[in-house]
Amino acid sequence: MKTIKRMLDHMYWADGRILGALEESKTQDKDLLKLARHVAVAERVWLSRLQGKGSAQYSLWEETEDLTAIRKMFEENAEQYRIYIEGLEESALDEMVDYANQSGVPFRTSVRDILSQVLLHGQYHRGQINRGLRMESAEPIQVDYITFARPKRG
């Protein structure tokens, strides 16, 4: 459980950093903004499933220009994941969650695997966003786990 909590802390940190890089770049690239929103919504979708709620009300791939709304969603997600994980016992990681994907197809997946999906999915898309920033000649931001984990200097 300690590793999962630490990885979630990295996710909150990395979400904030990638959003900061998008804000600083002043990008107008709709695909990059759509990816950032997608990460935030996907985190929310998976949390809803973990909480036994439906997720059909969420649209994963909408365009947006509102980075403030995305930041708010990331912050709310972090708060809700912290509450969820603090109430989770180690033994619950192997419990199965029944849910339907966004197309209505039913699945059954362990809590552990869902949390792993959330952590890996966001990192994948943050890499895509960084690549897009570099292509715009903007400075990509370091979001690697090791950067998060290293002791701060200075």
Side-chain angles (χ1 to χ4, degrees), residues 120-136:
L120 296 170
H121 175 262
Q123 194 66 353
Y124 170 75
H125 287 306
R126 286 187 290 272
Q128 290 179 309
I129 292 167
N130 262 333
R131 183 174 186 273
L133 288 172
R134 183 174 302 280
M135 289 173 64
E136 287 187 355

Side-chain angles (χ1 to χ4, degrees), residues 12-60:
Y12 313 142
W13 172 85
D15 284 346
R17 286 180 61 91
I18 204 69
L19 199 55
L22 285 166
E23 290 166 342
E24 188 174 314
S25 76
K26 298 185 180 4
T27 185
Q28 298 299 307
D29 185 320
K30 291 182 181 190
D31 289 335
L32 295 183
L33 300 175
K34 186 190 268 190
L35 275 172
R37 182 190 174 280
H38 172 76
V39 172
V41 174
E43 288 175 8
R44 185 157 293 177
V45 163
W46 284 111
L47 182 61
S48 292
R49 293 170 180 167
L50 288 167
Q51 295 170 328
K53 301 175 188 173
S55 63
Q57 71 273 29
Y58 298 112
S59 176
L60 288 168

Side-chain angles (χ1 to χ4, degrees), residues 93-106:
L93 290 172
D94 294 317
E95 289 180 6
M96 300 303 285
V97 176
D98 293 306
Y99 62 93
N101 70 7
Q102 297 310 98
S103 300
V105 178

